[in-house]
Every structure is written in structure tokens, then in C-alpha cells.
Amino acid sequence: MKDRINVLLDFDGTVSRHDTTDEILAAFADPQWHEIEHEWVTGRIGSRTCMSRQVALMRASPEALDRLVDGIEVDEHLPQLVDVCRDRGVSLTIVSDGLDRVIARVLRRFDLCVPVIANRLVCLPDGRWSLDFPNAAPYCEAGTCKCLSASSGGGPTILVGDGRSDFCVAEAASVVFAKAKLAEHCRLNGIPFLPLPNLGAVACWLAEAALPLSLQGTL
């Protein structure tokens, strides 16, 4: 439905407590991944190039990777948010510039079925890995263009996030829940936002909101 409210939920640092890609690289990649990270942080390369080069440095069996992911800390309010969105007729999608295999593994832990838009982690022979980018856009340096995902939803967008990959879509979202780098970006650029202590705050806000609503200008 064109007027349906769409929640775009970031994964790394939002659903997960920490950046899962960094945890995986720290465990399984050549230390050169830090140098590539510095190139990205200083703006010399985009995130798509950065992650592609970093993942190529990984050496791990699928079983070892999955065991690490099973130990990743996740916001325990995720099932609550999924339930509220379902009950209120709100579309919820995890949109991440991270790794689809990791997100799918976490969702299975909670027995949740949520649409996922993310970079595709591909297992190669001899413990090697590569990335595909089915959600990239030619005008965007990210592996997953969140602005493209937001525009395809058709209705008002609620963004829930914490980092750089959320900056561009925050400017167009009707409501922003933010913490960490995203909250700082919103403050510096005059973008209204609601604090994001955990996903339970988003669930409570949605549960109490008078839906349907015109989200523009509600903050």
C-alpha cells in the first residue's frame, strides 16, 4: 500500500550491540583490514570498496563463522518491535550495509521472519569469502543504498539507526530514531530525531501512536 508506514531498521550497532562485521574481521581477517578501514574513515574509498577488500582478507569455514555470529549480542527488544509492527500494520525491513548471512543467522535465533536488504556474503573454496552488492546504486558508494530502499517503500519512512550508512536517508525520513554517530549527524545538521536507547523505545512509540498518521512534522 502506497501510504503504509515503513520502518527501515539498521542492523550493526542497532539490532546488534556492536558492529558485527568488525567482530568477524577481527576474528578471521588479515590485520591489513585495519588499513583499509582507515582509508574508508578518511574518505579515500567508499564503503562498498572498503568492505569488498576487507572480506577478501577473511579465512574461515562457514561453521566457524556461524559459531561466532551465534555469540553476538543482540537487542532483546527485537521480537517486541517485530510484533508491534505486525499488529499495527507497519512494514518493517532490516536495511543494512552489512552481511546478509549474519542477519539471517540472528533472525533464526529469535525465530523471526523479517525482510532483509543487505550485502550478499558468498562462500568460496578454501575458507575464502567475497561480497555481492545486489542493492547498490550507481550514484551511491555504499554497498546497500538505503535511500533507494526508502524511496521504494511508497509511504512515510521511520528510520532506526546509529551510523554513517544512515546519514543520507535521515534527511528524507519522516521520523528518525538515532544514537551514536547518527544522532551526532542529526544534531549537527538540524535533523529532528528521537533518542534510541533500545528497540523497545521504538516499539513503545509505535504501539502508542495514533495510526494511520501523517508523520511529517510530528517531532
Side-chain angles (χ1 to χ4, degrees), residues 47-48 51 94-98 117-120 132-137 140-149 165 168:
S47 68
R48 185 161 69 243
M51 291 189 64
I94 293 177
V95 185
S96 171
D97 203 19
I117 298 174
N119 303 319
R120 182 181 299 133
D132 286 344
F133 302 99
N135 307 294
C140 181
E141 293 184 342
T144 295
C145 178
K146 295 190 177 184
C147 288
L148 184 64
S149 301
S165 66
C168 63

Side-chain angles (χ1 to χ4, degrees), residues 157-178:
T157 296
I158 300 173
L159 172 67
V160 184
D162 80 310
R164 283 184 167 193
S165 66
D166 304 305
F167 286 4
C168 63
V169 73
E171 299 176 8
S174 300
V175 172
V176 177
F177 283 87

Side-chain angles (χ1 to χ4, degrees), residues 70-84:
D70 287 342
I72 285 173
E73 295 182 48
V74 177
D75 189 320
E76 66 272 17
H77 299 94
L78 176 61
Q80 178 189 1
L81 177 59
V82 173
D83 288 346
V84 169

